[in-house]
Amino acid sequence: MKFNIALVPGDGIGPEVVGAAVEVLEKVGEKFGHEFCFTTYPAGGAAIDQFGEPLPQTTIDGCLASDSVMLGAVGGPKWDHLSGDTRPEKALLGLRKVLGLYTNLRPAKIQPALADACVLRPDIAAKGVDLLIVRELTGGIYFGERGLDEDGQGAFDTERYSAAEIERVARRAFDAARKRGGHLTSIDKANVLETSRLWRRTVHKLGETEYPDVRLDDMLVDNAAMQLIRDPSFFDVIVTSNMFGDILSDEASQITGSIGLLASASLGETARGMYEPIHGSAPDIAGKDIANPIATILSAAMMLRYSFDLGEEADFIEKAVSDVLDEGWRTKDIKSPDAESWLSGSEMKEKILEQLDK
Ligand code: NAD
């Protein structure tokens, strides 16, 4: 099969890690008989320098014409003085908007070989962490009406959700639970918030009518924050609102170890999605060949699974990454504190390519 992929490498380490993911996809294409065609578009600080705006129309058009988008990261100190719509981050929000991406998927997994990097108690880490957070991305309090009193002494933000907005993200979560362990936990604050009570009713109605095979339970967000530390092996798939998802997904990423290992996907109504590592442009290590490419390589695996329905190929990449880590290979960010040598970013990429060839 043939797939057109729009590459938006962005700034800092973005081009390095996206370049590594491209080589991995090319290798998988060779092995499985697929053709991945890549076109690169500017965004973020790089686009500001070249075109005077963070998200040029050519980038929007190219992404809309693609089968899926792979993003590196945007931003850096060079553009920190800019404000509002002229900032590099505007490219991210702009792309999410034009591509209609209302769901964010973030897996959090402890790679068995890296269990010692996990911040949890060893007996809890040993039980494993392998969960997926499905977060609503375009609604809720981050997009609601807000204001500041004239005297600056009072302010408000509004959380508002429609049943349709809840249902569409819940559907994504139920579908994901079906492809994984068949367990979905819906997280809310239904003991206090009216929006949460609507959230809970809507998710249950969908579960009863369309997903009776998925085990559904509810958890209050404060209990969920504790459960993630106490015993995250309880969770398979989590679905939650924009703000709760923002906080819980960062908490989950921290318990697993390095930011350089964590992938993400943003999805909308069509198969086209946007795939990116959760880390930023890491200007402190850009151009030094230190950046760990694994988060972006695992994002490429998510693209194969969620946009192209190539589950076997996605498993193949994920297994190659696990095998390389099992063999003890480490980049600087995931090495044990007393290790005196480590792989550069490009050496890690080569190890993964070699593994894919075995
Ligand atoms: P960051 O994620 O870029 O870096 C945080 C720390 O993690 C740094 O020490 C960095 O060296 C390290 N790190 C990040 N990715 C790594 C990797 N792949 N391998 C090894 N180490 C890695 O976060 P920050 O420093 O807060 O932000 C830097 C810039 O990135 C800012 O301009 C910020 O706005 C931007 N940012 C962009 C995105 C995005 O594009 N999605 C997300 C977060 C931050």
Side-chain angles (χ1 to χ4, degrees), residues 9-13 16-17 71-80 87-89 92 96 106 258-262 264 274 276-286 290-296 331-334:
D11 307 313
I13 62 170
E16 302 168 34
V17 293
L71 186 113
V74 294
K78 184 176 177 192
W79 306 281
D80 272 351
R87 287 185 64 80
E89 293 77 12
L92 281 182
R96 277 181 196 162
R106 261 211 213 179
S258 169
I259 201 170
L261 296 174
L262 296 170
S264 82
M274 187 159 86
E276 55 182 311
I278 73 154
H279 59 73
S281 58
D284 52 330
I285 57 169
I290 293 174
N292 187 346
I294 290 179
T296 316
T331 41
K332 192 174 179 205
D333 55 314
I334 52 174

Side-chain angles (χ1 to χ4, degrees), residues 41 48 60 62 105 123 128 132 134 198 207 221 257 301 339 350:
Y41 297 97
I48 294 172
I60 294 175
L105 267 58
D123 58 317
L132 176 72
V134 179
L198 176 68
V221 63
E350 289 301 329

Side-chain angles (χ1 to χ4, degrees), residues 109-117 125-126 128-129 322 325-326 330:
K109 185 174 179 177
I110 297 184
Q111 300 282 350
L114 290 173
D116 54 348
V129 177
S322 290
L325 294 172
D326 283 348
R330 300 285 184 270

Side-chain angles (χ1 to χ4, degrees), residues 17-94:
V17 293
V18 167
V22 165
E23 287 189 50
V24 165
L25 283 171
E26 280 171 340
K27 176 70 72 185
V28 170
E30 269 169 40
K31 286 238 153 204
F32 287 82
H34 305 300
E35 193 183 345
F36 298 113
C37 301
F38 302 98
T39 314
T40 303
Y41 297 97
I48 294 172
D49 288 352
Q50 220 183 330
F51 302 100
E53 52 181 334
L55 184 59
Q57 190 61 41
T58 47
T59 300
I60 294 175
D61 294 342
C63 290
L64 281 171
S66 72
D67 294 316
S68 230
V69 179
M70 165 134 300
L71 186 113
V74 294
K78 184 176 177 192
W79 306 281
D80 272 351
H81 62 285
L82 299 170
S83 59
D85 281 359
T86 62
R87 287 185 64 80
E89 293 77 12
K90 175 68 189 160
L92 281 182
L93 298 177

